[in-house]
């Protein structure tokens, strides 16, 4: 799991946090006098990055979605620069590597923070608004809840969390209850992953405004059963730890979060109106929970699912397509993702059980660019038929 880099990045983040707490007024004053711009987006969507470090002997730029690092060149003032190829309109995470150490961009306050690492964020705009952009359309509401869990291990005072998105015009007295999607984040993210980084609420607002999806409630819970799962760098090589985490999370979702949502919101309790989907770790959880509980979920989606250690021949041995009666089983992965082969093997297994599975492969790595695109194409398929 790139443990050395993660440790180095944590040291960098802690150092930047300490530095900012001590020198913030001085830093802001200096910036006001001599502003330094680290990013310039050009009309052809190439981007020039600049990083000031007169001591480093080698600096590289790492941009999510690009296949390799970009070597930067230093000028006489100690400023390193490089210009990217033309980039598709997207939200990009990036960082610098100075002499092998991960460095954040001190001139860019926009960051994507999760429970393990941090990266700076850059938006390359399109000629027209993208589905993850803020646009002049009706907006839904994000609600954030904290509750006491009896299941999830390792949380301070046993306080767990989840977000609920209600669509524009949500009506508690509507004649028909709303369908609900349980949308799960990946390893290292928290319950805010799909909104803070994935921009899920904006994607849903824009798809609704375009008439492409049904109005739905979307629930985004904290996706761990044991919080120690995020502190073990080699945890994905430990099938027992994976099972332990997924099993506890499944219990928390089904016995704590789902009943609370169905008590607090005007949502359907019919399995035909419930969907579950997620990315990476959340994809594993969605597939395992959904396929093990077809009485609760008729719509299942996995995005770049971390199924490389899933013992599906045992866990899913009793799969029966007629008994499951799924409306949709959607398994997607980027073709440059290291998880593409495990996902293909899972699909082969599902087909061997005569499960009707929709296989989606798109260009891309294990990044939010792929997962936002997955949500954009998955959500319109939901709840369109009974």
């Amino acid at each position: 799991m790139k443990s050395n880099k993660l440790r180095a990045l944590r040291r960098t983040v802690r150092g930047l946090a300490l530095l900012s707490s001590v020198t913030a007024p001085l830093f802001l004053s200096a910036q006001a006098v001599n502003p330094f711009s680290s990013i310039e987006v050009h009309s052809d969507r190439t981007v020039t990055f600049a990083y000031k470090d007169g001591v480093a002997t080698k600096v590289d730029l790492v941009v999510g979605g690009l296949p390799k690092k970009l070597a930067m060149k230093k000028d006489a003032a100690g400023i390193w620069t490089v210009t990217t190829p033309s980039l598709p309109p997207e939200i990009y995470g990036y960082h610098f590597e100075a002499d092998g150490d991960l460095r954040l961009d001190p001139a860019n306050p926009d960051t994507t923070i999760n429970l393990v690492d941090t990266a700076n964020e850059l938006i390359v705009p399109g000629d027209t608004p993208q589905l993850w952009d803020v646009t002049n359309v009706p907006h839904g509401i994000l609600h954030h809840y904290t509750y006491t869990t009896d299941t999830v291990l390792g949380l301070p005072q046993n306080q767990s969390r989840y977000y609920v998105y209600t669509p524009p015009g949500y009506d508690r007295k509507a004649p028909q209850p709303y369908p609900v999607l349980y949308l799960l984040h990946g390893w290292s993210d928290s319950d805010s992953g799909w909104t803070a980084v994935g921009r899920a609420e904006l994607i849903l607002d824009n798809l609704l405004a375009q008439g492409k999806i049904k109005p739905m409630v979307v629930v985004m819970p904290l996706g761990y059963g044991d919080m120690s799962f995020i502190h073990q760098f080699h945890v994905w090589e430990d099938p027992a730890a994976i099972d332990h985490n997924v099993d506890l999370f499944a219990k928390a979702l089904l016995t704590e979060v789902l009943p609370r949502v169905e008590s607090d919101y005007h949502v359907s309790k019919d399995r035909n109106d419930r969907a579950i989907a997620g990315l990476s770790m959340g994809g594993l959880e969605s597939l395992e929970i959904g396929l093990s509980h077809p009485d609760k979920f008729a719509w299942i989606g996995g995005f770049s699912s971390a199924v490389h250690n899933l013992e599906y021949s045992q866990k899913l041995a009793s799969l029966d397509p007629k008994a499951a009666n799924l409306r949709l089983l959607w398994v997607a992965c980027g073709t440059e993702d290291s998880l593409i082969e495990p996902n293909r093997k899972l699909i082969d297994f599902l087909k061997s059980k005569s499960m009707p599975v929709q296989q989606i492969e798109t260009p891309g790595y294990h990044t939010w660019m792929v997962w936002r695109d997955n949500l954009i194409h998955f959500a319109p398929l939901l709840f369109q038929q009974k």
Side-chain angles (χ1 to χ4, degrees):
M1 302 301 290
K2 301 181 181 179
S3 58
N4 292 333
K5 288 187 177 181
L6 289 173
R7 292 189 183 101
L9 182 55
R10 282 172 165 170
R11 289 196 296 270
T12 300
V13 173
R14 286 195 292 267
L16 285 172
L18 177 61
L19 179 64
S20 64
S21 67
V22 175
T23 65
L26 178 62
F27 175 76
L28 292 174
S29 175
Q31 288 289 83
V33 173
N34 185 26
F36 176 78
S37 177
S38 61
I39 304 169
E40 183 179 359
V41 181
H42 306 290
S43 59
D44 61 356
R45 298 197 187 96
T46 61
V47 183
T48 298
F49 288 83
Y51 179 71
K52 192 169 186 178
D53 188 333
V55 178
T57 60
K58 177 179 172 57
V59 177
D60 293 319
L61 169 70
V62 180
V63 179
L66 294 186
K68 60 182 180 179
K69 304 174 186 178
L70 300 179
M72 306 183 76
K73 294 183 178 180
K74 183 170 70 171
D75 66 12
I79 296 176
W80 298 77
T81 59
V82 69
T83 299
T84 70
S86 182
L87 300 174
E90 252 297 354
I91 305 169
Y92 294 88
Y94 74 93
H95 66 265
F96 303 107
E97 291 186 1
D99 294 330
D101 289 335
L102 275 72
R103 304 285 176 83
L104 295 179
D105 182 351
N108 180 6
D110 295 328
T111 57
T112 60
I113 300 175
N114 59 32
L115 301 178
V116 172
D117 57 14
T118 305
N120 288 102
E121 186 176 80
L122 161 72
I123 298 178
V124 176
D127 294 331
T128 58
Q130 304 297 298
L131 286 170
W132 49 80
D133 289 333
V134 179
T135 58
N136 184 18
V137 300
H139 296 288
I141 299 175
L142 272 180
H143 314 257
H144 197 207
Y145 295 93
T146 301
Y147 77 97
T148 301
T149 176
D150 295 322
T151 303
V152 182
L153 304 178
L155 287 169
Q157 300 296 310
N158 298 321
Q159 298 301 292
S160 193
R161 308 180 302 272
Y162 61 94
Y163 281 87
V164 176
Y165 165 89
T166 51
Y170 169 79
D171 183 0
R172 290 187 59 89
K173 297 181 180 179
Q176 297 296 325
Y178 290 81
V180 58
L181 164 63
Y182 290 84
L183 187 60
L184 312 182
H185 62 77
W187 184 86
S188 83
D189 283 313
S190 71
D191 50 315
S192 66
W194 266 110
T195 53
V197 188
R199 312 291 177 94
E201 77 283 18
L202 298 178
I203 290 172
L204 295 166
D205 288 343
N206 288 316
L207 288 174
L208 273 168
Q210 294 177 10
K212 292 182 177 179
I213 64 173
K214 297 285 189 181
M216 65 183 79
V217 171
V218 181
V219 181
M220 295 160 278
L222 183 66
Y224 304 97
D226 187 336
M227 297 305 295
S228 69
F229 193 70
I230 63 172
H231 302 308
Q232 304 172 46
F233 289 111
H234 300 289
V235 72
W236 287 103
E237 300 170 12
D238 185 349
I242 297 170
D243 286 347
H244 169 72
N245 183 66
V246 173
D247 290 347
L248 286 177
F249 170 71
K251 181 180 178 182
L253 177 69
L254 298 176
T255 68
E256 295 178 350
V257 176
L258 188 147
R260 288 176 61 92
V261 169
E262 293 187 346
S263 173
D264 294 343
Y265 289 89
H266 186 43
V267 295
S268 174
K269 298 180 181 179
D270 187 330
R271 47 101 56 187
N272 291 302
D273 295 322
R274 283 202 207 105
I276 186 169
L279 69 92
S280 194
M281 177 186 75
L284 166 65
E285 293 168 338
S286 297
L287 292 170
E288 189 168 330
I289 294 170
L291 291 172
S292 299
H293 298 85
D295 59 315
K296 298 187 182 301
F297 303 98
W299 313 79
I300 303 171
F303 312 158
S304 309
S305 304
V307 295
H308 48 299
N309 277 317
L310 174 61
E311 293 292 338
Y312 42 80
S313 59
Q314 298 176 16
K315 290 196 167 239
L316 306 177
S318 61
L319 275 179
D320 181 332
K322 290 185 178 180
N325 191 28
L326 297 180
R327 298 293 183 263
L328 178 65
L329 175 55
W330 203 83
V331 181
C333 195
T335 51
E336 284 72 49
D337 194 324
S338 62
L339 289 169
I340 186 66
E341 287 304 325
N343 275 265
R344 287 170 176 168
K345 290 179 181 178
L346 173 61
I347 289 169
D348 288 342
F349 169 78
L350 293 170
K351 289 180 177 179
S352 75
K353 304 290 286 186
S354 299
M355 293 295 293
V357 56
Q358 189 165 338
Q359 180 176 4
I360 304 296
E361 294 186 1
T362 58
Y365 297 84
H366 203 71
T367 68
W368 275 103
M369 289 178 280
V370 170
W371 305 325
R372 277 188 288 268
D373 184 69
N374 288 165
L375 179 62
I376 287 168
H377 289 89
F378 177 74
L381 303 176
L382 298 177
F383 316 123
Q384 298 290 347
Q385 56 183 343
K386 286 290 186 179

